[in-house]
Amino acid sequence: MDRDDGLTALDNIVTQFNTYEDFLDSQITTVDLYYLEDETLARQLVELGYRGTGEIVKREDFEARKAAIEIARLAERTQKKTLASAGKELHDNFLKALAMREEDNRNGKVSTVIFIRDKNSHGQEVSGYIDYAHRLKSEDFEAYFNGKKRLLPRTTDMRFSQVTTQLESPSRRNSMHMLFSLTTFPEGRLKHP
């Protein structure tokens, strides 16, 4: 039995029993209690590995693994962040589309690439591709969904382009946003709607 199988067996034991004593009691048979006539002695024999019907687990290992599982459970609970778009009154179609995809991108069910062509505060044309899931992990989207901040590509995004000199034309005055979503299935297949 390798280390991973041992940890899996220990995890099963730890999650099944609340205390180490409950685990020891599960290993004691009625015949053991009949002949030993002492529950404490029967527990000690199981703990030492002389009696019992199953796995030998030391008290320290049981308690350490129980604590580790509890810490992991608490960490997972605190990581489950509420959605930045939750409860927001969104009027912009682009923000509505981002809100629809937010939870799936946070969970890794969908990967969304956003293409944006817009102008920055200096009047320069900026365009690029943004990995939505990465951006959700690296920054707070509350400001975007509240309308206090505009989503623009950064030099750290997938592809970034900034045009410093340009001619102003009517076709370039409006921002352009495009979303591409990739859904990952459990079998590893991708679906592009």
Side-chain angles (χ1 to χ4, degrees), residues 83-144:
L83 300 177
S85 61
K88 305 283 187 304
E89 183 76 26
L90 303 173
H91 301 289
D92 182 51
N93 288 335
F94 175 66
L95 290 177
K96 287 178 184 177
L98 288 180
M100 282 178 22
R101 292 167 172 81
E102 183 182 6
E103 184 174 10
D104 288 340
N105 273 275
R106 285 190 189 274
N107 296 333
K109 293 178 183 175
V110 171
S111 294
T112 301
V113 176
I114 306 166
F115 173 73
I116 294 182
R117 188 178 80 197
D118 204 345
K119 291 184 182 177
N120 64 12
S121 59
H122 302 292
Q124 300 166 327
E125 183 178 302
V126 177
S127 65
Y129 293 89
I130 299 171
D131 181 355
Y132 187 39
H134 175 71
R135 277 283 195 100
L136 283 170
K137 290 177 187 171
S138 62
E139 71 178 283
D140 185 22
F141 261 68
E142 286 282 331
Y144 296 118

